[in-house]
Amino acid sequence: MEDWVIIGGGIQGMTVAVHLIETEKTSAEKMTIIDPHDKPLAKWKQLTGKIDMPYLRSAFVHHLSSSPFALEKFGKKDTGYTNPFLGRYNRPKLSLFNEHCEELFHQCELHKSWVKGSVNGLTRTNGAWSVSLHSGEVIKAAKVVLAIGLSGQLHLPPLFDKMKKDGHPVNHIFDESLDINKLKPPVAIIGGGITAAHTALKLSDLFPGQTAMLKRHPFRVHNFDSDPGWLGPKNMHYFTKLTDYKARRSCIHKARHRGSLTRELYLKLQKQERRQLLTIKTMNVSNIKEDKNHQMVLTEEESDYTHTAHSIICCTGFQPQLPGGDWLKELIASYSLPCAQCGYPIVDRSLMWTDNLYVTGALAELEIGPVARNISGAQKAASRIASAVK
């Protein structure tokens, strides 16, 4: 029987794994990490690579290690990077961050823990957890961490979802079947946040003068996707005093700068617009029709604004519902696990949901707060879980 099973090999799960080994709470031989991909952070690398994200939005102190300045030290080595960190917050280069992750995985020997597979059940018998895989394999463990993300729950607004189902060239940017390089211009990007910005910069280079960014609201420029005060007691003291979880959910919603982007990206978009490589419009698309040339005409009903495109790329985020699917719902029902009105777990300070079952990432946000889904939130969650274990 394993000491630990971590379900999910993305940023959240791997941060927990690294923390547990660095703090000597377990070893790679006594841990299993279950993920449907061949290697750790596969989905992370796929999503960030698709939009050519050069730098992370987070600061240099946010990474997978339990040592606060591990990434900074790594970046100061002779790694061949002329600008490993950017701006006043020393935001790390994505490639540097990924290399640091790989070094941590190597040091922690996490290849010994990796199991490629998908979970379809979790049960508890005689004080131990049994994790069932679609392959039929069952892995027993004393402790389990649910590190399940939202990346599989792509959100397409109803209007665009219908167009896609009707066979039109409409896609979510993170649809695995989408090959950006094979898009037929002109291209319309739906969204005004950081993902839309990266996508617009990439496509305006690929299809200069044939790329447009259509956003519902003026640009929301923020350094981070929530105020840095949420990283510490400045804001979290108030949050943890809230005993009403509906109030906590409301607090999280208000704190997040949804659909925002950094000033650096905002200036780059303006530059592309000045060079006439990119068109930027503020319009709330309310109708789409196909014209005689088989292109899509997007219309804003209130203003009669229109825009014509052959391909539409939606940078519209993820569905907010509880991740995990049917097996997690069955687990909640079988063990009467406490959930808030929004459906998300109610956990203790150590992020334990029930005996030796822990959560991180989105599943932990009612305890960790607005930063839960970020790398900084992964650090906080991993630290709490590791600290709770003797």
Side-chain angles (χ1 to χ4, degrees):
M1 184 172 72
E2 304 284 11
D3 283 351
W4 292 86
V5 164
I6 299 174
I7 301 174
I11 292 288
Q12 300 286 339
M14 299 310 294
T15 305
V16 173
V18 169
H19 274 61
L20 288 172
I21 290 177
E22 286 186 340
T23 57
E24 300 182 345
K25 298 300 172 69
T26 191
S27 63
E29 292 84 357
K30 296 179 180 179
M31 176 194 297
T32 294
I33 304 165
I34 304 170
D35 188 271
H37 301 92
D38 290 322
K39 295 181 179 180
L41 305 191
K43 195 70 175 180
W44 159 264
K45 291 179 180 179
Q46 177 195 350
L47 300 188
T48 55
K50 197 166 196 175
I51 58 175
D52 288 351
M53 186 174 81
Y55 288 88
L56 272 66
R57 191 174 192 174
S58 54
F60 71 101
V61 292
H62 300 144
H63 47 74
L64 276 60
S65 176
S66 59
S67 176
F69 302 105
L71 179 58
E72 182 185 35
K73 291 177 182 177
F74 182 78
K76 288 181 177 178
K77 292 180 181 179
D78 183 17
T79 56
Y81 291 105
T82 53
N83 295 302
F85 300 100
L86 179 70
R88 60 180 293 197
Y89 296 103
N90 286 328
R91 292 164 41 216
K93 204 172 186 69
L94 174 64
S95 50
L96 174 71
F97 176 84
N98 288 342
E99 283 186 23
H100 180 239
C101 292
E102 292 299 328
E103 180 177 86
L104 290 173
F105 302 156
H106 177 72
Q107 290 174 348
C108 295
E109 299 184 300
L110 291 178
H111 62 281
K112 297 179 180 178
S113 308
W114 193 258
V115 171
K116 182 181 178 181
S118 297
V119 173
N120 66 356
L122 184 59
T123 57
R124 186 169 173 81
T125 309
N126 298 326
W129 288 102
S130 295
V131 185
S132 303
L133 307 186
H134 281 285
S135 63
E137 184 180 1
V138 177
I139 302 171
K140 294 186 180 296
K143 301 176 182 67
V144 172
V145 179
L146 304 180
I148 311 164
L150 301 174
S151 60
Q153 301 176 179
L154 305 182
H155 171 62
L156 275 179
L159 177 63
F160 298 97
D161 189 40
K162 183 180 185 303
M163 293 296 291
K164 180 178 174 63
K165 288 176 179 175
D166 288 344
H168 294 281
V170 176
N171 284 281
H172 193 287
I173 181 61
F174 294 139
D175 188 326
E176 290 188 4
S177 64
L178 174 65
D179 185 344
I180 284 181
N181 297 296
K182 293 182 179 179
L183 289 172
K184 183 177 178 180
V187 182
I189 298 159
I190 308 301
I194 195 164
T195 299
H198 283 301
T199 304
L201 292 171
K202 178 172 182 173
L203 292 184
S204 61
D205 284 336
L206 278 175
F207 309 114
Q210 298 186 82
T211 301
M213 186 178 188
L214 311 182
K215 53 192 181 60
R216 292 183 301 167
H217 51 73
F219 282 119
R220 299 165 177 168
V221 180
H222 296 278
N223 288 320
F224 305 107
D225 54 12
S226 61
D227 188 277
W230 290 106
L231 292 169
K234 180 180 178 181
N235 292 342
M236 284 301 295
H237 179 75
Y238 163 77
F239 182 83
T240 54
K241 293 293 183 183
L242 294 173
T243 56
D244 180 353
Y245 285 91
K246 188 175 181 180
R248 287 196 184 193
R249 172 59 64 196
S250 177
C251 191
I252 291 169
H253 182 76
K254 291 176 182 177
R256 287 190 179 133
H257 302 312
R258 297 179 71 249
S260 65
L261 74 167
T262 62
R263 180 166 181 77
E264 162 222 352
L265 286 174
Y266 171 67
L267 294 175
K268 285 184 177 180
L269 290 172
Q270 286 190 317
K271 183 178 180 180
Q272 291 294 80
E273 186 179 34
R274 286 196 303 270
R275 296 172 65 195
Q276 298 184 340
L277 303 178
L278 174 67
T279 298
I280 301 174
K281 291 184 178 180
T282 300
M283 62 181 289
N284 187 11
V285 179
S286 55
N287 191 32
I288 306 175
K289 290 183 178 179
E290 188 177 46
D291 67 13
K292 62 182 180 180
N293 298 317
H294 304 293
Q295 295 196 121
M296 290 171 285
V297 180
L298 297 83
T299 306
E300 181 182 62
E301 189 174 347
E302 296 83 0
S303 64
D304 291 330
Y305 282 177
T306 62
H307 186 82
T308 303
H310 188 277
S311 304
I312 296 177
I313 304 300
C314 294
C315 299
T316 46
F318 305 99
Q319 297 282 2
Q321 71 259 25
L322 191 75
D326 291 339
W327 70 265
L328 186 56
K329 293 176 183 175
E330 291 172 9
L331 175 71
I332 292 169
S334 297
Y335 296 94
S336 300
L337 299 182
C339 295
Q341 188 176 359
C342 60
Y344 277 66
I346 295 174
V347 298
D348 67 15
R349 196 179 185 285
S350 70
L351 306 184
M352 191 165 68
W353 201 358
T354 188
D355 293 342
N356 293 323
L357 177 65
Y358 298 85
V359 299
T360 184
L363 294 176
E365 61 190 4
L366 290 178
E367 182 62 31
I368 294 294
V371 303
R373 302 181 192 183
N374 303 338
I375 300 170
S376 57
Q379 285 179 308
K380 284 178 168 292
S383 177
R384 288 199 192 187
I385 293 169
S387 298
V389 181
K390 296 181 180 179

